[in-house]
Coordinates of all heavy atoms in Angstrom, one line a residue:
K1 N 0.8 -1.2 0.0 CA 0.0 0.0 0.0 C 0.8 1.3 0.0 O 0.5 2.3 -0.6 CB -0.9 0.0 1.2 CG -2.1 0.9 1.2 CD -3.0 0.7 2.4 CE -4.4 0.6 1.9 NZ -5.3 0.5 3.0
T2 N 2.0 1.2 0.7 CA 2.8 2.4 0.7 C 4.0 2.3 -0.2 O 5.0 3.0 -0.1 CB 3.4 2.6 2.2 OG1 4.1 1.4 2.6 CG2 2.2 2.9 3.1
G3 N 4.0 1.3 -1.1 CA 5.1 1.0 -2.0 C 5.3 2.2 -3.0 O 4.4 3.0 -3.3
A4 N 6.6 2.3 -3.4 CA 6.9 3.4 -4.3 C 8.2 3.0 -5.1 O 8.8 1.9 -4.8 CB 7.2 4.7 -3.5
C5 N 8.6 3.8 -6.0 CA 9.7 3.6 -6.9 C 10.7 4.7 -6.9 O 10.3 5.9 -6.7 CB 9.2 3.4 -8.3 SG 7.8 2.3 -8.5
T6 N 11.9 4.4 -7.0 CA 13.0 5.5 -7.1 C 14.0 5.0 -8.2 O 14.0 3.8 -8.5 CB 13.7 5.7 -5.8 OG1 14.3 4.4 -5.4 CG2 12.8 6.3 -4.7
L7 N 14.8 5.9 -8.7 CA 15.8 5.5 -9.6 C 16.9 4.7 -8.8 O 17.2 5.0 -7.7 CB 16.5 6.7 -10.2 CG 15.7 7.5 -11.2 CD1 16.5 8.7 -11.7 CD2 15.2 6.6 -12.4
A8 N 17.5 3.7 -9.4 CA 18.5 2.9 -8.7 C 19.9 3.6 -9.0 O 20.9 3.2 -8.3 CB 18.5 1.5 -9.3
K9 N 20.0 4.4 -10.0 CA 21.3 5.1 -10.3 C 21.0 6.6 -10.6 O 19.9 7.0 -10.8 CB 21.9 4.5 -11.6 CG 22.1 3.0 -11.6 CD 22.6 2.6 -13.0 CE 22.8 1.1 -13.1 NZ 23.3 0.7 -14.4
A10 N 22.0 7.3 -10.6 CA 21.9 8.7 -11.0 C 21.5 8.8 -12.5 O 22.0 8.0 -13.3 CB 23.2 9.5 -10.8
P11 N 20.7 9.8 -12.9 CA 20.3 10.0 -14.3 C 21.5 10.0 -15.2 O 21.4 9.5 -16.4 CB 19.5 11.3 -14.3 CG 19.0 11.4 -12.9 CD 20.1 10.8 -12.0
E12 N 22.6 10.5 -14.8 CA 23.8 10.6 -15.7 C 24.4 9.2 -16.0 O 25.1 9.0 -17.0 CB 25.0 11.4 -15.0 CG 24.6 12.8 -14.8 CD 23.7 13.1 -13.5 OE1 23.6 12.2 -12.7 OE2 23.2 14.2 -13.4
G13 N 24.0 8.2 -15.1 CA 24.5 6.8 -15.3 C 23.5 5.9 -16.0 O 23.8 4.7 -16.0
I14 N 22.5 6.5 -16.5 CA 21.5 5.6 -17.2 C 21.3 6.1 -18.6 O 21.0 7.3 -18.9 CB 20.1 5.7 -16.5 CG1 20.2 5.3 -15.0 CG2 19.0 5.0 -17.2 CD1 19.0 5.5 -14.2
T15 N 21.7 5.3 -19.6 CA 21.5 5.7 -21.0 C 20.1 5.3 -21.5 O 19.4 4.5 -20.9 CB 22.5 5.0 -21.9 OG1 22.2 3.6 -22.0 CG2 24.0 5.2 -21.5
L16 N 19.7 6.0 -22.6 CA 18.4 5.6 -23.2 C 18.5 4.2 -23.7 O 17.5 3.5 -23.7 CB 18.0 6.6 -24.2 CG 17.7 8.0 -23.8 CD1 17.3 8.9 -25.0 CD2 16.7 8.0 -22.7
L17 N 19.7 3.7 -24.0 CA 19.8 2.3 -24.5 C 19.5 1.4 -23.3 O 18.9 0.3 -23.5 CB 21.2 2.1 -25.1 CG 21.5 0.6 -25.6 CD1 20.5 0.2 -26.7 CD2 22.9 0.5 -26.1
D18 N 20.0 1.7 -22.1 CA 19.7 0.9 -20.9 C 18.2 0.8 -20.8 O 17.7 -0.3 -20.5 CB 20.3 1.6 -19.7 CG 21.8 1.6 -19.6 OD1 22.4 0.8 -20.2 OD2 22.3 2.6 -19.0
I19 N 17.5 1.9 -20.9 CA 16.0 1.9 -20.8 C 15.4 1.1 -21.9 O 14.5 0.3 -21.7 CB 15.5 3.3 -20.7 CG1 16.0 4.1 -19.5 CG2 14.0 3.3 -20.7 CD1 15.8 5.6 -19.5
Y20 N 15.8 1.3 -23.1 CA 15.3 0.5 -24.3 C 15.4 -0.9 -24.1 O 14.5 -1.7 -24.2 CB 16.0 1.0 -25.6 CG 15.6 0.2 -26.8 CD1 14.4 0.4 -27.4 CD2 16.5 -0.7 -27.3 CE1 14.0 -0.3 -28.5 CE2 16.2 -1.4 -28.5 CZ 14.9 -1.2 -29.1 OH 14.6 -1.9 -30.2
R21 N 16.6 -1.4 -23.7 CA 16.9 -2.8 -23.5 C 16.1 -3.4 -22.4 O 15.5 -4.5 -22.4 CB 18.3 -3.1 -23.3 CG 19.1 -2.9 -24.6 CD 20.6 -3.3 -24.4 NE 21.3 -3.2 -25.7 CZ 22.5 -3.1 -25.9 NH1 23.3 -3.0 -24.8 NH2 23.1 -3.1 -27.1
A22 N 15.9 -2.6 -21.3 CA 15.2 -3.0 -20.1 C 13.7 -3.2 -20.5 O 13.0 -4.1 -20.0 CB 15.4 -2.1 -19.0
S23 N 13.2 -2.3 -21.4 CA 11.8 -2.3 -21.7 C 11.4 -3.5 -22.5 O 10.2 -3.9 -22.6 CB 11.4 -1.0 -22.5 OG 11.9 -1.1 -23.8
A24 N 12.4 -4.2 -23.1 CA 12.1 -5.4 -23.9 C 11.3 -5.1 -25.1 O 10.5 -5.9 -25.5 CB 11.6 -6.6 -23.1
A25 N 11.4 -3.9 -25.6 CA 10.6 -3.5 -26.8 C 11.2 -4.2 -28.0 O 12.4 -4.5 -28.0 CB 10.7 -2.0 -27.0
P26 N 10.3 -4.6 -28.9 CA 10.8 -5.2 -30.1 C 11.7 -4.3 -30.9 O 11.7 -3.1 -30.7 CB 9.6 -5.6 -30.9 CG 8.5 -4.6 -30.4 CD 8.9 -4.3 -29.0
A27 N 12.4 -4.9 -31.9 CA 13.3 -4.1 -32.8 C 12.5 -3.0 -33.5 O 11.3 -3.2 -33.7 CB 13.9 -5.0 -33.8
T28 N 13.1 -1.9 -33.8 CA 12.4 -0.8 -34.4 C 11.9 -1.1 -35.8 O 10.8 -0.6 -36.2 CB 13.3 0.5 -34.5 OG1 14.5 0.1 -35.2 CG2 13.6 1.0 -33.1
C29 N 12.5 -1.9 -36.5 CA 12.1 -2.3 -37.8 C 12.2 -3.8 -37.9 O 13.2 -4.4 -37.5 CB 13.0 -1.7 -38.9 SG 13.0 0.1 -39.0
A30 N 11.2 -4.4 -38.6 CA 11.3 -5.9 -38.8 C 10.5 -6.2 -40.1 O 9.6 -5.5 -40.5 CB 10.6 -6.6 -37.6
M31 N 10.9 -7.3 -40.6 CA 10.2 -7.8 -41.8 C 8.9 -8.4 -41.4 O 8.7 -9.0 -40.3 CB 11.0 -8.9 -42.5 CG 12.2 -8.4 -43.3 SD 11.8 -7.4 -44.7 CE 10.9 -8.5 -45.7

């Protein structure tokens, strides 16, 4: 009930690639 989220690292230490890979989104282009 009181749960919450925080960043595990400083924003400078997180790349957008880290986020992309973590999201498990499919490849941007596919046949």
Side-chain angles (χ1 to χ4, degrees):
K1 198 176 228 181
T2 60
C5 313
T6 57
L7 292 179
K9 303 176 183 180
E12 297 80 11
I14 301 171
T15 68
L16 294 184
L17 181 59
D18 295 331
I19 298 168
Y20 174 72
R21 287 184 175 159
S23 74
T28 55
C29 296
M31 285 296 298

